[in-house]
Amino acid sequence: MDTEERQDHEDQAVSHVIDRLAEKFPDRPRSLIEEVVSEERHLLDDKPLRDYIPVLIEHGAKSRLRTAARMAETAS
């Protein structure tokens, strides 16, 4: 797989991560989920092994969204 194919594959996987998180957190705007996923992805930009990046992105984003949801519930 060349670099462009690998990037396309990663982009598709990250798109699926956004879709899964949007289903898991329906009370959060999709734009927020996309922003969190993008931030998590950029945290991993310098990592050479790209195969697990979507999994790591999803894990980090899910954790941040859960924390935000708990904080919102507590503030209510």
Side-chain angles (χ1 to χ4, degrees), residues 28-44:
R28 298 289 178 210
R30 187 175 182 91
S31 60
L32 173 64
I33 293 169
E34 291 170 350
E35 180 180 327
V36 169
V37 167
S38 177
E39 290 171 1
E40 289 293 320
R41 188 176 192 179
H42 289 299
L43 290 173
L44 301 169

Side-chain angles (χ1 to χ4, degrees), residues 36-71:
V36 169
V37 167
S38 177
E39 290 171 1
E40 289 293 320
R41 188 176 192 179
H42 289 299
L43 290 173
L44 301 169
D45 278 346
D46 63 338
K47 304 302 181 210
L49 184 59
R50 305 303 298 175
D51 294 343
Y52 301 104
I53 295 299
V55 173
L56 296 172
I57 291 169
E58 184 168 6
H59 178 74
K62 192 183 304 182
S63 177
R64 288 174 59 185
L65 291 166
R66 282 185 182 145
T67 299
R70 273 184 256 156
M71 290 174 65

